[in-house]
Amino acid sequence: MITDEDKERVRQATDILQLVGETVELKRRGADYWGCCPFHHEKSPSFHVNPTTGLWKCFGCGAGGDVFAYVMKRESLDFPDSIRYLADKAGIELTEERGAARKGPRRNRLIECLTEAERFYNTMLLRGRGEGPDAGRAYLAGRGFGSDVCRRWGLGFAAGHQTLVEHLRKLGFSMQEILASDLALRGQGGRLRDRFFDRVMFPIHDEQGRTIAFGGRVMGDAKPKYLNTKETAVFSKRKHLFAFDRAKESMAATGTCIVCEGYTDVIAMHEAGFANTVATLGTALTMDHVKLIERFAKRRIICMFDGDEAGQRAAERAVQYIDKTSVEMLCVVLPDNLDPMEFLSARGADALRPILEAAQPLMDFVFGKRLAGYDLSVPGKRVAALNDMAGVLATLGDSMLLDGYALQLGDMLGFDVARVKQVIRERAATERRKAGQRDGGGRADGRRQPAGASSSDVPPYDAPTYQEDGGYGSGYDDGEYDAYDGPYAPADGGAGREGQGVSTAALSNDERMQSAAERELLAMIASHPDVMRGHGERIATFTWSDSRYEAMAWAMLATPAGTPPADVVRAAAGVVAEAPQILAGGRLEVTSRMPADQRANFLLDVVELWSKRREVREIKARLRLSSTTVPDEGQIELFRRATELQKRINELSNSVSAVV
């Protein structure tokens, strides 16, 4: 807790003219000073500072107060943090920082030690002689960083071999201070040796621009490639961001922060004019990072992830913050798997601007990347995809945003929305239990399995029945399903990556009805191939629920006229091994009294009806994933297509209803 005495010490130590003068050009008028307000746009100065009282006031926007109020508004801090901010600037150690819990050198001494280390490393890079400094200069020059860039960013070279330790000791820094700054390690006999050696050095600053840590990169193939300062009294990789001190003004002006993954990427972005760019420091984006960013960037955070698996994992980890921040979280993946520095070097800043403007919502990227690995035309694969996505969305298990994402996922995969939310929340509960204490038995989700049950038990589909009393029913009852390990079981055996299975019975009613109708149509083709060949053009327009059904249909229709049904079945089995079992399930062949031609038209209408409804659901899912408020050409085309489909759906519904 900050005491009143500390608050007054900080106030007395802060020169309001110097503080305001950091960002406002002040001109003296008599005893007071005037300038243009930093908090709203104006041409005539209305911002007034009275050095006698230590107060400021803008007569344009009405803002005003003391030094703490100024820092709170300028830095987007709360009151206690404004005191801590000014205390750091003044080198004042607050009472809350002292006590038995805080041992070791004072913070300001560590910052002084680190600042001197930055000067030393920079001098070694710019003026050092020998193989090491030459290699450092060559490495940076190869990335487009000449001496001017190295000087502006304080880049350096660490030779090692006690050179830094000896330099700091000569300046009066104690061994304890050097160790606490993580600039050295204790070797044999208690002697200190430089922590960094034969590396290009990137200084890391706090938001006030003070040196608090370093990142060192090897110039060859040694490991680790990057070596960062460990956690110290002045540095936390979970709280600090590279170049944040340089980026915060541009972030406030644009409302946007761009987050990259490397030091050189950030420097290249700034040098190309994208001064609102920062990078994490050897860790994934954290909630502390997000809170720090949103103090200045009030609109958007654009994450520039690599297009590889590591970039995908970084995006998925960032999903957990979507509902915890008021800013929009977006994602950009550069083409050809280039990183920002490579892209800017090859194509320039003008090519990057439209890519940043077209940044997609973070969840779009995650959905697209995850689902791209599944053949969603196979029901079992859609089950596996739901298992997979449940793990990603588990962090949103209690979020109000879950309904929207569950609806999108349900439409894309053909699952009932309620079931999708249930699976995600069950997965969230499992993850919470894993993070706490395991109960030691049973399934991964903590529940006991029935004796003899398997996590791969998946109920089968059942075919629809034509009811003579007037109805086209599903013919299934969830309670009547037995364990099934046939062609519709998910590729992973019905279990997600963590072993939590989702039954294909969770597919929406439309999905199951379409699958059942397709199986009836396949049975019709097998029994009456010559009747069905004339409908090939119409069948070609269907969007099938299962790619294997489509393959079977075309294999049978490709047989010559007059081919016996048994040979037609063998043709289907040639492309899908389970074809005989699937084709044997046609109930209309056994129960219906309709003539073959009438039954063929009826089944074609039913399958096309479900097919078109499936297309409409997929279009809705794609439109929901779009964040643009003004429809673009692609969205307009989707709307047009959905309208055409709905018209055809109405026609087919009337046709089917007339039969049943």
Side-chain angles (χ1 to χ4, degrees), residues 416-432:
D416 291 317
V417 176
R419 178 59 175 152
V420 171
K421 289 192 288 187
Q422 178 187 353
V423 171
I424 294 171
R425 284 172 175 150
E426 287 177 354
R427 185 62 172 272
T430 300
E431 295 300 328
R432 285 194 294 270

mmCIF file of all heavy atoms in Angstrom, residues 416-432:
data_model
loop_
_atom_site.group_PDB
_atom_site.id
_atom_site.type_symbol
_atom_site.label_atom_id
_atom_site.label_comp_id
_atom_site.label_asym_id
_atom_site.label_seq_id
_atom_site.Cartn_x
_atom_site.Cartn_y
_atom_site.Cartn_z
ATOM 1 N N ASP A 416 -25.727 -29.935 -33.548
ATOM 2 C CA ASP A 416 -26.674 -29.125 -32.806
ATOM 3 C C ASP A 416 -25.905 -28.170 -31.903
ATOM 4 O O ASP A 416 -24.941 -28.557 -31.232
ATOM 5 C CB ASP A 416 -27.585 -30.016 -31.945
ATOM 6 C CG ASP A 416 -28.529 -30.848 -32.799
ATOM 7 O OD1 ASP A 416 -29.089 -30.299 -33.757
ATOM 8 O OD2 ASP A 416 -28.693 -32.043 -32.491
ATOM 9 N N VAL A 417 -26.330 -26.903 -31.870
ATOM 10 C CA VAL A 417 -25.610 -25.885 -31.120
ATOM 11 C C VAL A 417 -25.557 -26.226 -29.637
ATOM 12 O O VAL A 417 -24.518 -26.060 -28.983
ATOM 13 C CB VAL A 417 -26.266 -24.498 -31.331
ATOM 14 C CG1 VAL A 417 -25.571 -23.455 -30.462
ATOM 15 C CG2 VAL A 417 -26.200 -24.107 -32.785
ATOM 16 N N ALA A 418 -26.668 -26.698 -29.090
ATOM 17 C CA ALA A 418 -26.688 -27.040 -27.668
ATOM 18 C C ALA A 418 -25.655 -28.117 -27.348
ATOM 19 O O ALA A 418 -24.974 -28.074 -26.324
ATOM 20 C CB ALA A 418 -28.084 -27.510 -27.253
ATOM 21 N N ARG A 419 -25.524 -29.090 -28.263
ATOM 22 C CA ARG A 419 -24.553 -30.162 -28.040
ATOM 23 C C ARG A 419 -23.126 -29.623 -28.143
ATOM 24 O O ARG A 419 -22.245 -30.017 -27.384
ATOM 25 C CB ARG A 419 -24.781 -31.273 -29.063
ATOM 26 C CG ARG A 419 -23.792 -32.433 -28.944
ATOM 27 C CD ARG A 419 -23.849 -33.081 -27.581
ATOM 28 N NE ARG A 419 -22.999 -34.263 -27.517
ATOM 29 C CZ ARG A 419 -22.436 -34.714 -26.415
ATOM 30 N NH1 ARG A 419 -22.627 -34.077 -25.269
ATOM 31 N NH2 ARG A 419 -21.695 -35.801 -26.433
ATOM 32 N N VAL A 420 -22.893 -28.700 -29.083
ATOM 33 C CA VAL A 420 -21.561 -28.110 -29.230
ATOM 34 C C VAL A 420 -21.162 -27.401 -27.936
ATOM 35 O O VAL A 420 -20.047 -27.577 -27.429
ATOM 36 C CB VAL A 420 -21.524 -27.127 -30.414
ATOM 37 C CG1 VAL A 420 -20.200 -26.356 -30.431
ATOM 38 C CG2 VAL A 420 -21.707 -27.865 -31.730
ATOM 39 N N LYS A 421 -22.076 -26.591 -27.384
ATOM 40 C CA LYS A 421 -21.770 -25.873 -26.145
ATOM 41 C C LYS A 421 -21.535 -26.847 -24.991
ATOM 42 O O LYS A 421 -20.664 -26.629 -24.149
ATOM 43 C CB LYS A 421 -22.915 -24.905 -25.809
ATOM 44 C CG LYS A 421 -22.977 -23.716 -26.745
ATOM 45 C CD LYS A 421 -23.905 -22.637 -26.237
ATOM 46 C CE LYS A 421 -25.350 -23.056 -26.345
ATOM 47 N NZ LYS A 421 -26.262 -21.940 -25.996
ATOM 48 N N GLN A 422 -22.314 -27.915 -24.964
ATOM 49 C CA GLN A 422 -22.142 -28.903 -23.902
ATOM 50 C C GLN A 422 -20.753 -29.535 -23.975
ATOM 51 O O GLN A 422 -20.067 -29.685 -22.954
ATOM 52 C CB GLN A 422 -23.213 -29.990 -24.018
ATOM 53 C CG GLN A 422 -23.075 -31.087 -22.961
ATOM 54 C CD GLN A 422 -24.054 -32.234 -23.204
ATOM 55 O OE1 GLN A 422 -24.915 -32.156 -24.075
ATOM 56 N NE2 GLN A 422 -23.901 -33.302 -22.449
ATOM 57 N N VAL A 423 -20.330 -29.898 -25.185
ATOM 58 C CA VAL A 423 -19.014 -30.523 -25.357
ATOM 59 C C VAL A 423 -17.907 -29.563 -24.933
ATOM 60 O O VAL A 423 -16.954 -29.947 -24.250
ATOM 61 C CB VAL A 423 -18.823 -30.952 -26.829
ATOM 62 C CG1 VAL A 423 -17.381 -31.387 -27.075
ATOM 63 C CG2 VAL A 423 -19.784 -32.070 -27.183
ATOM 64 N N ILE A 424 -18.024 -28.284 -25.333
ATOM 65 C CA ILE A 424 -16.990 -27.301 -24.993
ATOM 66 C C ILE A 424 -16.924 -27.105 -23.487
ATOM 67 O O ILE A 424 -15.834 -27.050 -22.891
ATOM 68 C CB ILE A 424 -17.269 -25.965 -25.708
ATOM 69 C CG1 ILE A 424 -17.124 -26.145 -27.222
ATOM 70 C CG2 ILE A 424 -16.324 -24.870 -25.206
ATOM 71 C CD1 ILE A 424 -17.595 -24.949 -28.025
ATOM 72 N N ARG A 425 -18.090 -27.011 -22.838
ATOM 73 C CA ARG A 425 -18.095 -26.780 -21.390
ATOM 74 C C ARG A 425 -17.594 -28.004 -20.631
ATOM 75 O O ARG A 425 -16.938 -27.873 -19.591
ATOM 76 C CB ARG A 425 -19.498 -26.369 -20.953
ATOM 77 C CG ARG A 425 -19.793 -24.915 -21.339
ATOM 78 C CD ARG A 425 -21.208 -24.507 -21.114
ATOM 79 N NE ARG A 425 -21.367 -23.074 -21.389
ATOM 80 C CZ ARG A 425 -22.468 -22.516 -21.836
ATOM 81 N NH1 ARG A 425 -23.539 -23.262 -22.052
ATOM 82 N NH2 ARG A 425 -22.523 -21.224 -22.063
ATOM 83 N N GLU A 426 -17.911 -29.190 -21.135
ATOM 84 C CA GLU A 426 -17.366 -30.389 -20.508
ATOM 85 C C GLU A 426 -15.848 -30.417 -20.645
ATOM 86 O O GLU A 426 -15.135 -30.782 -19.708
ATOM 87 C CB GLU A 426 -17.981 -31.647 -21.145
ATOM 88 C CG GLU A 426 -19.429 -31.887 -20.753
ATOM 89 C CD GLU A 426 -20.014 -33.099 -21.456
ATOM 90 O OE1 GLU A 426 -19.315 -33.669 -22.325
ATOM 91 O OE2 GLU A 426 -21.160 -33.470 -21.157
ATOM 92 N N ARG A 427 -15.359 -30.001 -21.810
ATOM 93 C CA ARG A 427 -13.914 -29.954 -22.010
ATOM 94 C C ARG A 427 -13.282 -28.911 -21.091
ATOM 95 O O ARG A 427 -12.194 -29.126 -20.542
ATOM 96 C CB ARG A 427 -13.607 -29.626 -23.470
ATOM 97 C CG ARG A 427 -12.125 -29.679 -23.815
ATOM 98 C CD ARG A 427 -11.531 -31.081 -23.611
ATOM 99 N NE ARG A 427 -10.190 -31.147 -24.127
ATOM 100 C CZ ARG A 427 -9.888 -31.452 -25.380
ATOM 101 N NH1 ARG A 427 -10.853 -31.751 -26.242
ATOM 102 N NH2 ARG A 427 -8.640 -31.495 -25.776
ATOM 103 N N ALA A 428 -13.961 -27.779 -20.919
ATOM 104 C CA ALA A 428 -13.448 -26.734 -20.026
ATOM 105 C C ALA A 428 -13.350 -27.256 -18.596
ATOM 106 O O ALA A 428 -12.370 -26.988 -17.889
ATOM 107 C CB ALA A 428 -14.345 -25.503 -20.085
ATOM 108 N N ALA A 429 -14.381 -28.001 -18.166
ATOM 109 C CA ALA A 429 -14.355 -28.565 -16.817
ATOM 110 C C ALA A 429 -13.209 -29.561 -16.680
ATOM 111 O O ALA A 429 -12.531 -29.622 -15.647
ATOM 112 C CB ALA A 429 -15.689 -29.250 -16.512
ATOM 113 N N THR A 430 -12.972 -30.340 -17.732
ATOM 114 C CA THR A 430 -11.866 -31.294 -17.709
ATOM 115 C C THR A 430 -10.530 -30.579 -17.578
ATOM 116 O O THR A 430 -9.653 -30.993 -16.803
ATOM 117 C CB THR A 430 -11.872 -32.143 -18.993
ATOM 118 O OG1 THR A 430 -13.101 -32.856 -19.074
ATOM 119 C CG2 THR A 430 -10.718 -33.127 -19.009
ATOM 120 N N GLU A 431 -10.362 -29.495 -18.344
ATOM 121 C CA GLU A 431 -9.100 -28.756 -18.292
ATOM 122 C C GLU A 431 -8.889 -28.141 -16.911
ATOM 123 O O GLU A 431 -7.765 -28.082 -16.416
ATOM 124 C CB GLU A 431 -9.092 -27.669 -19.371
ATOM 125 C CG GLU A 431 -9.126 -28.196 -20.795
ATOM 126 C CD GLU A 431 -7.941 -29.079 -21.117
ATOM 127 O OE1 GLU A 431 -6.850 -28.839 -20.575
ATOM 128 O OE2 GLU A 431 -8.113 -30.036 -21.894
ATOM 129 N N ARG A 432 -9.983 -27.678 -16.301
ATOM 130 C CA ARG A 432 -9.845 -27.106 -14.958
ATOM 131 C C ARG A 432 -9.417 -28.180 -13.954
ATOM 132 O O ARG A 432 -8.615 -27.922 -13.061
ATOM 133 C CB ARG A 432 -11.167 -26.457 -14.521
ATOM 134 C CG ARG A 432 -11.433 -25.115 -15.199
ATOM 135 C CD ARG A 432 -12.548 -24.374 -14.484
ATOM 136 N NE ARG A 432 -13.829 -25.053 -14.606
ATOM 137 C CZ ARG A 432 -14.694 -24.831 -15.583
ATOM 138 N NH1 ARG A 432 -14.424 -23.944 -16.522
ATOM 139 N NH2 ARG A 432 -15.856 -25.472 -15.620
#
